[in-house]
Amino acid sequence: MPELSITELSKDLRAAIANLEATVGLESVGVVVRVGDGVAWIHGLRDAGYGEVLQIETKTGTVEAFALNLMEDEIGAVLLGTDAEVSAGNTVRLKGTALQVPVGPELLGRVVDPLGRPLDGAGPIKTKQFGLVEREAIGVMDRKSVHEPLMTGIMAIDAMFPIGRGQRELIIGDRQTGKTALTIDTMINQARQKTGVVNVYVAIGQKLSKVARLVDRLKEEGVMDQTIVVATSPSDPASLLYLAPYAATAMGEYFRDNKQHALMIYDDLTKHAVAYRQMSLLLRRPPGREAYPGDVFYLHSRLLERSAKLSDKLGGGSLTALPIIETQAGDISAYIPTNVISITDGQIFLETDLFYQGIRPAISAGLSVSRVGGAAQTKAVKSVSGNLKLGLSQFRELASFAQFGSDLDEATKSQIDRGRRLTELLKQPQYQPAGIWEQVASIYAVTNGLFDKVAPSHIKDAQTALLTRLWAEHKDAMRTLNDGDKPTDAQIKAIESVANHVSIGFEDK
């Protein structure tokens, strides 16, 4: 589409602009000059601000858009819907507000689009409050250090890469390696452990059939009552895909600002960056690396900076972010992955090779890290998981080395055997998050050699037997341990006693 100056416009358009200028001026009213691919170019509206809502008056009604390009002669506005009814010559007025979405507890249990409109057929949502889609992040002085755990129920994460409330932990890996599965288990765990954390799941350009299956599963697990799902599909305009994570964050911020805790899941920010690239190229912004515009880093940094643990003065609420990024062939050095890695407080990297070996969740012990969560880790899990990450990383190095020769000393053989048992222990079926006491008992039994005589192939059976017997014989002690405090001597003795009895039945003959 060629750039046009005002003098090159059609006679009718020039007449419309002149008429507006003579009657009301071009400060608060404009005219659509051209439109296409979801973008309208508007002459006038000299008082418009960045991100402000514009109302385009068409023959059949009003279509809303928001200003993204503010230039000397015209405005590039992205339409919040179809451009079928919008045409050159339409009058445009300022709405006088920035983009807002409905927020509040009324949204819990509902599936909505990025503008807060219901998609689940369960009737209108009557909210009394609205939140700004774009909002400045909380300043450093109004934050508190991350110190409360956000338990995922996934043993490998809670033990090695713990997440705290207010943290931003990236989940990264190739497609179909279990990234969404990790976040669903985390949501389920919030309901099972009765943590009171509100889940906000954002599907950015996901198939609606996948979203429907996810919602059904959350209802089945009793999680939907404390969850908001914001859904967009690949057929939605790029503007809605772009707005989805910001709108959802506004919904989560409501709970954070009201002394509650919320968990944001962005699935996934790769599609979000692609939608923004599409809009930027249509707005004539110059493409840079991998055809993304130069401000694509700012796109995600201003989104993720909104996640925080608030100071006691502001109520102590928190907003935790689990953004998802999809890599191509495990390449975490690509543009968007490196951007988001540098914004977040750590990443959980899922390896395709581990996934197809049957090690699920396929978490890489070497490439994953949590830069904050150790400060928020429960004392119970911390007391038993000290050397877990190092031991697992060393085992994977030794195992690849050992396949080239069989002459290994006893210490190396022992380390490899322990590593195999740890690897088996950390395998976890989907939809089965583990409580704190289950994690502590399981990890203690393996890392302290109580299961050294159990064959690696029987570790999961031995773990099930250990947990069943502990709950049957020491229920009160395990219930106390589930509070997260460091295990007492009595609790450790109970775990050792039961583990020793259980291991006899699974001895590797």
Side-chain angles (χ1 to χ4, degrees):
M1 193 187 297
E3 295 293 337
L4 297 173
S5 70
I6 296 300
T7 53
E8 292 171 304
L9 294 175
S10 70
K11 191 176 178 182
D12 291 341
L13 268 177
R14 276 183 300 181
I17 292 168
N19 183 46
L20 272 175
E21 201 156 13
T23 53
V24 292
L26 290 174
E27 276 68 36
S28 55
V29 181
V31 176
V32 175
V33 175
R34 58 192 189 282
V35 65
D37 297 313
V39 172
W41 297 91
I42 298 158
H43 180 71
L45 292 178
R46 290 170 188 152
D47 288 346
Y50 181 83
E52 189 168 353
V53 180
L54 315 176
Q55 294 180 316
I56 303 171
E57 296 168 3
T58 68
K59 290 176 183 175
T60 55
T62 303
V63 175
E64 289 195 339
F66 60 100
L68 266 189
N69 267 25
L70 299 177
M71 296 181 293
E72 191 177 353
D73 262 346
E74 59 186 1
I75 289 172
V78 178
L79 299 173
L80 293 170
T82 177
D83 59 9
E85 301 300 322
V86 182
S87 59
N90 288 154
T91 303
V92 189
R93 298 181 188 275
L94 294 178
K95 190 175 182 182
T97 61
L99 208 53
Q100 294 180 317
V101 288
V103 299
E106 297 86 355
L107 287 160
L108 290 172
R110 302 299 300 268
V111 182
V112 297
D113 75 356
L115 299 176
R117 300 175 296 207
L119 296 174
D120 51 10
I125 300 169
K126 293 173 183 173
T127 58
K128 296 168 187 170
Q129 292 165 289
F130 289 83
L132 287 171
V133 168
E134 288 271 9
R135 180 178 161 190
E136 199 172 319
I138 293 287
V140 174
M141 299 305 290
D142 291 326
R143 296 178 183 233
K144 193 176 182 182
S145 61
V146 173
H147 67 278
E148 298 169 305
L150 184 117
M151 299 297 291
T152 64
I154 298 157
M155 216 180 307
I157 296 176
D158 291 339
M160 296 191 289
F161 319 106
I163 299 168
R165 291 182 183 178
Q167 188 174 344
R168 301 154 302 174
E169 184 80 0
L170 172 64
I171 297 172
I172 185 167
D174 287 4
R175 67 185 299 275
Q176 298 295 314
T177 50
K179 299 186 297 298
T180 304
L182 287 186
T183 62
I184 294 171
D185 283 357
T186 304
M187 291 160 75
I188 291 171
N189 196 54
Q190 305 316 307
R192 288 199 186 162
Q193 302 300 323
K194 296 181 171 62
T195 61
V197 174
V198 171
N199 307 305
V200 184
Y201 176 85
V202 197
I204 305 167
Q206 302 285 347
K207 289 180 184 172
L208 290 181
S209 57
K210 179 186 172 183
V211 177
R213 283 198 303 272
L214 180 137
V215 170
D216 287 343
R217 187 74 206 200
L218 293 180
K219 284 178 180 172
E220 196 179 310
E221 299 285 347
V223 189
M224 201 59 200
D225 292 340
Q226 62 185 69
T227 302
I228 301 169
V229 176
V230 180
T232 56
S233 71
S235 60
D236 284 330
S239 56
L240 287 186
L241 271 65
Y242 162 74
L243 289 174
Y246 295 104
T249 304
M251 295 170 192
E253 280 174 333
Y254 168 84
F255 298 98
R256 182 199 70 185
D257 296 341
N258 284 279
K259 304 182 184 180
Q260 292 174 267
H261 304 280
L263 169 66
M264 300 296 313
I265 294 162
Y266 303 106
D267 191 6
D268 62 74
L269 291 187
T270 310
K271 291 187 178 72
H272 184 233
V274 169
Y276 183 64
R277 174 170 64 185
Q278 181 182 329
M279 279 171 34
S280 297
L281 294 176
L282 290 169
L283 287 165
R284 305 277 176 271
R285 293 182 182 177
R289 181 173 160 191
E290 293 179 28
Y292 289 102
D295 64 338
V296 78
F297 177 89
Y298 180 58
L299 172 79
H300 290 149
S301 65
R302 75 178 190 266
L303 170 70
L304 294 169
E305 280 295 329
R306 289 163 73 175
S307 297
K309 167 68 182 167
L310 296 191
S311 64
D312 293 336
K313 187 180 173 184
L314 291 179
S318 70
L319 189 66
T320 310
L322 293 181
I324 295 174
I325 286 286
E326 186 182 296
T327 54
Q328 304 289 331
D331 181 17
I332 57 172
S333 63
Y335 189 30
I336 301 302
T338 50
N339 271 354
V340 185
I341 285 171
S342 62
I343 294 163
T344 49
D345 309 311
Q347 72 273 350
I348 292 162
F349 182 58
L350 300 177
E351 284 191 77
T352 311
D353 290 348
L354 292 178
F355 185 84
Y356 289 120
Q357 285 169 32
I359 301 170
R360 300 173 189 176
I363 296 169
S364 165
L367 290 171
S368 303
V369 67
S370 174
R371 301 188 187 98
V372 177
Q377 194 172 22
T378 55
K379 290 174 184 173
V381 177
K382 200 171 197 171
S383 67
V384 296
S385 63
N387 298 322
L388 194 62
K389 184 181 176 187
L390 181 64
L392 207 58
S393 299
Q394 286 177 338
F395 156 68
R396 287 187 183 159
E397 290 295 321
L398 283 171
S400 59
F401 170 74
Q403 64 186 351
F404 296 111
S406 56
D407 294 335
L408 300 172
D409 59 88
E410 286 304 314
T412 306
K413 280 181 183 173
S414 169
Q415 201 169 357
I416 288 175
D417 287 343
R418 179 73 57 83
R420 285 197 181 116
R421 290 179 175 86
L422 276 176
T423 301
E424 287 300 318
L425 177 74
L426 294 177
K427 289 180 182 177
Q428 201 169 333
Q430 198 178 351
Y431 311 126
Q432 292 181 27
I436 295 173
W437 75 270
E438 295 170 305
Q439 296 188 27
V440 172
S442 305
I443 294 168
Y444 185 87
V446 173
T447 55
N448 286 276
L450 303 177
F451 279 0
D452 275 2
K453 291 181 180 177
V454 178
S457 58
H458 290 146
I459 283 290
K460 292 307 283 184
D461 295 331
Q463 180 197 13
T464 304
L466 168 70
L467 298 177
T468 305
R469 194 159 165 183
L470 272 173
W471 191 249
E473 297 175 9
H474 305 276
K475 187 179 286 187
D476 291 339
M478 293 304 107
R479 196 175 272 135
T480 308
L481 182 56
N482 210 50
D483 292 338
D485 292 326
K486 192 173 179 180
T488 62
D489 291 342
Q491 288 165 338
I492 291 293
K493 279 179 185 171
I495 293 169
E496 286 177 347
S497 168
V498 173
N500 284 325
H501 278 100
V502 164
S503 66
I504 293 167
F506 292 96
E507 259 186 51
D508 192 8
K509 299 287 194 283

